[in-house]
Amino acid sequence: MNSTKSYLQTVALKDVKCHALHGYYPEEQLTGIYFMVDAVVTFIPNEDTENLARTVNYEVLNTIILEEMKLTQKMLETVVKNILDRIIGHYPFILTGEVGIRKLNPPMPGQIGHSFVQLSYKA
């Protein structure tokens, strides 16, 4: 019987809250709004599970998210792509990645909890 094990590691940050100036309308870029960002990646883990250099460091994910959220964009589609591209660039060994941004209480008629944009990657 073959006892070869195959593992898939997930590293994620959920609900990273940021105030940012993203928005299609000029008013959104003046006053800003709150966003929640999620980033999830998967990869085949290295045998050395105690070595931070051989995994995805979620502090790095947080830094990437915060830096990209500071750069004002009209469209959240641009922001999620920029975040995901930077994660892939930093960790080329990831197999899948997913970044989602929720705009909390978007400025439109009615009571809306959030709007949502997400982008996925598969190696």
Side-chain angles (χ1 to χ4, degrees):
M1 178 181 255
N2 188 350
S3 64
T4 303
K5 296 178 183 173
S6 179
Y7 294 104
L8 185 64
Q9 182 78 46
T10 300
V11 173
L13 283 182
K14 298 283 189 163
D15 298 332
V16 179
K17 191 172 187 178
C18 306
H19 185 269
L21 303 175
H22 304 303
Y24 184 78
Y25 300 104
E27 311 83 55
E28 293 176 291
Q29 294 185 8
L30 289 174
T31 60
I33 197 164
Y34 281 98
F35 298 86
M36 299 291 265
V37 182
D38 297 334
V40 181
V41 299
T42 64
F43 56 96
I44 297 171
N46 187 286
E47 292 296 318
D48 186 4
T49 59
E50 290 294 309
N51 186 344
L52 190 57
R54 296 183 177 264
T55 187
V56 173
N57 183 341
Y58 50 78
E59 291 179 79
V60 172
L61 296 181
N62 189 54
T63 298
I64 291 170
I65 290 167
L66 296 178
E67 288 175 356
E68 289 300 325
M69 291 301 287
K70 287 181 185 176
L71 304 174
T72 301
Q73 302 289 344
K74 285 185 177 182
M75 304 294 287
L76 292 179
E77 287 84 344
T78 303
V79 183
V80 295
K81 184 174 185 317
N82 291 347
I83 291 170
L84 193 51
D85 283 347
R86 282 191 59 193
I87 292 170
I88 295 164
H90 198 85
Y91 298 109
F93 57 84
I94 67 170
L95 298 175
T96 66
E98 190 170 84
V99 174
I101 299 177
R102 295 184 305 278
K103 180 186 277 190
L104 304 181
N105 303 12
M108 60 180 83
Q111 289 187 323
I112 301 167
H114 67 267
S115 56
F116 184 75
V117 174
Q118 182 171 295
L119 185 65
S120 299
Y121 162 81
K122 184 176 181 182

